[in-house]
Amino acid sequence: MAAYSYVAPLLTERAGLPQTAVPLAMLGYGAGALTGTVFGGRRGDRRTYATLIPAAAVTAALLGAITLWATSSIAAVALVVLLGAAGMSTNPILVGEVVRIAGPGRALSMALATSSFQVGIAVGSWLGGVAFSSALGLKGPSMTGLALLLAALLPLGILAATRRRATAPR
């Protein structure tokens, strides 16, 4: 969300897209997000971490690509659409894991999971804004998102290893 919050200046100031085209690019992000959510939800039900970790890695790669190559309108829009697809494919998987682990009393767990997404949006947007206001400028929000995502891959790997050990036949 650090990068997503600052998509409009990325598209207009860095990639040279006219302001009137930004809503269409955001529609593309939304279509990508819908596609990613459906894909992540369906595949994540069967192969949780085998879907979650690569989706997070692809999202990190896309944030890196945005940082480096979002200087043309076509490349920037394509990367934003792909970011929606990859980034949002993780959400249903994460919520599904909360439900699976929570067992009875899922209402509170679901509420906390949803709240954690909102906190992540707020903190990510704030950190992206700090980076945007720094010497990093327009590259700052995507670099911030990349750093946050890379930091999340280690705990995801630990969770995947823990789950594999817990479900391994003895």
Side-chain angles (χ1 to χ4, degrees):
M1 297 314 292
Y4 174 76
S5 296
Y6 298 90
V7 164
L10 170 83
L11 293 172
T12 58
E13 296 173 34
R14 187 154 182 243
L17 197 68
Q19 287 183 346
T20 56
V22 171
L24 293 173
M26 300 310 296
L27 181 63
Y29 178 92
L34 176 62
T35 302
T37 299
V38 170
F39 171 79
R42 288 192 178 174
R43 190 162 190 278
D45 280 342
R46 288 177 269 130
R47 304 201 53 196
T48 304
Y49 290 98
T51 304
L52 183 59
I53 292 172
V58 167
T59 303
L62 287 165
L63 288 166
I66 287 170
T67 302
L68 297 172
W69 301 309
T71 54
S72 80
S73 57
I74 293 171
V77 169
L79 289 168
V80 165
V81 171
L82 292 171
L83 181 65
M88 294 303 152
S89 67
T90 60
N91 292 5
I93 301 168
L94 293 169
V95 171
E97 275 299 277
V98 168
V99 170
R100 183 188 67 78
I101 292 168
R106 290 184 175 126
L108 177 59
S109 300
M110 289 295 299
L112 291 173
T114 302
S115 295
S116 69
F117 281 125
Q118 301 309 314
V119 169
I121 290 167
V123 171
S125 296
W126 174 71
L127 290 172
V130 169
F132 182 70
S133 298
S134 76
L136 296 171
L138 290 167
K139 292 182 178 182
S142 57
M143 291 175 74
T144 301
L146 175 60
L148 291 169
L149 202 54
L150 290 175
L153 285 172
L154 178 63
L156 284 175
I158 292 169
L159 284 170
T162 303
R163 182 164 183 206
R164 220 180 347 252
R165 270 195 302 261
T167 59
R170 296 189 186 249

